[in-house]
Amino acid sequence: MLYCKDCQLLCEQECPQCGSRSLRKPQANDPVLLGVFEPAIAFGVESILKDNHIPYEKFGNLGAAVTLYVGTAMETYRFFVPYGEYRKSVSLVEELTGPAEPSQEHE
Ligand SMILES: [Zn+2]
């Protein structure tokens, strides 16, 4: 697993976002994109990270002008966690939201 420091993404050989191949091994304190969540889920993600004492950064995805246009319901939040806490964070989020696969309704 390699890391693009520009996009703060984990990837294998080439960054899926910027196409960079100048990647390095992730360090424990590198911020890594945990996921992008809508507000209702972001609230739960935030509290579960706090409960587990995982440091995180949260950024709104849309600028103020876009928020005015589409309304706050379309706002999403990007969460970053240190690489050293990434695996634990992913499993905590999966407990919250289910596996990151195309969602299927329970019967
Ligand atoms: Zn990149």
Side-chain angles (χ1 to χ4, degrees):
M1 189 70 82
L2 295 170
Y3 178 75
C4 177
K5 66 175 170 40
D6 294 329
C7 306
Q8 303 182 332
L9 283 175
L10 292 173
C11 40
E12 297 295 342
Q13 293 183 330
E14 182 179 315
C15 176
Q17 184 151 303
C18 71
S20 171
R21 285 173 174 272
S22 59
L23 308 170
R24 60 171 171 78
K25 289 220 181 289
Q27 306 295 310
N29 61 352
D30 281 333
V32 173
L33 179 65
L34 176 62
V36 182
F37 306 102
E38 53 192 76
I41 295 172
F43 183 80
V45 171
E46 198 163 7
S47 60
I48 209 170
L49 291 176
K50 275 183 189 162
D51 286 350
N52 287 275
H53 308 289
I54 295 174
Y56 65 90
E57 291 180 284
K58 184 181 85 168
F59 298 99
N61 207 29
L62 303 176
V66 182
T67 305
L68 275 177
Y69 179 65
V70 299
T72 52
M74 297 296 288
E75 177 83 300
T76 56
Y77 295 98
R78 287 174 295 157
F79 281 75
F80 292 86
V81 296
Y83 178 68
E85 304 281 5
Y86 178 72
R87 282 173 195 281
K88 184 179 173 189
S89 303
V90 167
S91 61
L92 288 170
V93 169
E94 283 184 353
E95 279 176 34
L96 190 72
T97 65
E101 292 169 8
S103 60
Q104 292 183 342
E105 295 297 323
H106 292 287
E107 292 181 16

